[in-house]
Amino acid sequence: MVDRPSEAKITPLTSRDVLPPNRQIYQLVNTYNFHIAKATEVSPIVSLLCDMLYESEFESQMWMIYNSCKQLMAVGDAYPAKYSVKLEKGEYVLRLNVRHESRSLLEKLLELPVLLQQKLPVPLLLDVYGDHHQALIGGKKLTATTVLSDAPVPVYFAGLAA
């Protein structure tokens, strides 16, 4: 749902964040704007960085979601399965903060995409067809088939209604 950041900024942190011997820590803050059309539950996923904490090349990562009134709605880190937030219809901002001592490594994340996983209110039902022609015309649906070992079976799905 959210793609590339609308704004990205790398800054050095304060003197408190200088590691011996004189290694400056930098932070990248990527800002993502998104719209929620209908109340739903979302989980932000930063696929390049997710599910890595101590084994990550980066010192730390954290995301924050704010509503249009700049109210903090949720905070999370590298484990998207642990965090979800219910959001009402409206405009939101996600800010992703990543820290590292190498500014050049952070520069590689300036266009880092973020995915917002949403829970569907009801399951999607798709029509499945055994051949391309039947899928195009909405013809005979595939109800059952025999699958042999190591033999691919193509299936075709009809498009979803809006």
Side-chain angles (χ1 to χ4, degrees):
M1 178 194 238
V2 177
D3 194 19
R4 307 275 181 207
S6 59
E7 182 181 331
K9 189 175 187 180
I10 298 174
T11 56
L13 294 173
T14 65
S15 59
R16 184 190 78 157
D17 297 298
V18 174
L19 301 176
N22 205 24
R23 291 178 12 225
Q24 177 68 55
I25 302 297
Y26 295 89
Q27 75 171 347
L28 164 71
V29 179
N30 280 355
T31 303
Y32 305 83
N33 299 308
F34 64 98
H35 174 78
I36 297 293
K38 202 172 174 182
T40 188
E41 192 170 326
V42 300
S43 297
I45 300 173
V46 184
S47 58
L48 184 65
L49 303 174
C50 74
D51 295 329
M52 291 192 304
L53 190 58
Y54 299 113
E55 63 275 8
S56 176
E57 179 64 37
F58 296 94
E59 181 184 317
S60 68
Q61 58 182 297
M62 179 175 68
W63 55 260
M64 298 155 283
I65 295 178
Y66 298 89
N67 67 11
S68 60
C69 297
K70 299 184 180 181
Q71 177 184 11
L72 181 64
M73 303 302 291
V75 176
D77 62 17
Y79 296 98
K82 286 184 167 184
Y83 304 99
S84 66
V85 59
K86 291 182 181 177
L87 299 177
E88 298 299 319
K89 177 182 177 179
E91 301 296 323
Y92 293 89
V93 172
L94 183 143
R95 292 182 58 152
L96 174 66
N97 183 302
V98 182
R99 295 169 30 135
H100 198 274
E101 66 182 84
S102 169
R103 184 180 181 97
S104 63
L105 278 180
L106 290 174
E107 286 172 353
K108 294 179 180 184
L109 304 180
L110 288 171
E111 293 291 318
L112 185 65
V114 169
L115 174 70
L116 277 185
Q117 180 175 308
Q118 292 183 330
K119 291 193 176 182
L120 296 173
V122 294
L124 293 177
L125 300 176
L126 299 173
D127 293 332
V128 181
Y129 300 92
D131 68 62
H132 186 251
H133 176 72
Q134 294 299 317
L136 284 174
I137 64 170
K140 184 178 177 194
K141 296 177 187 170
L142 180 66
T143 56
T145 189
T146 302
V147 179
L148 302 175
S149 177
D150 295 330
V153 175
V155 293
Y156 300 87
F157 297 94
L160 289 172

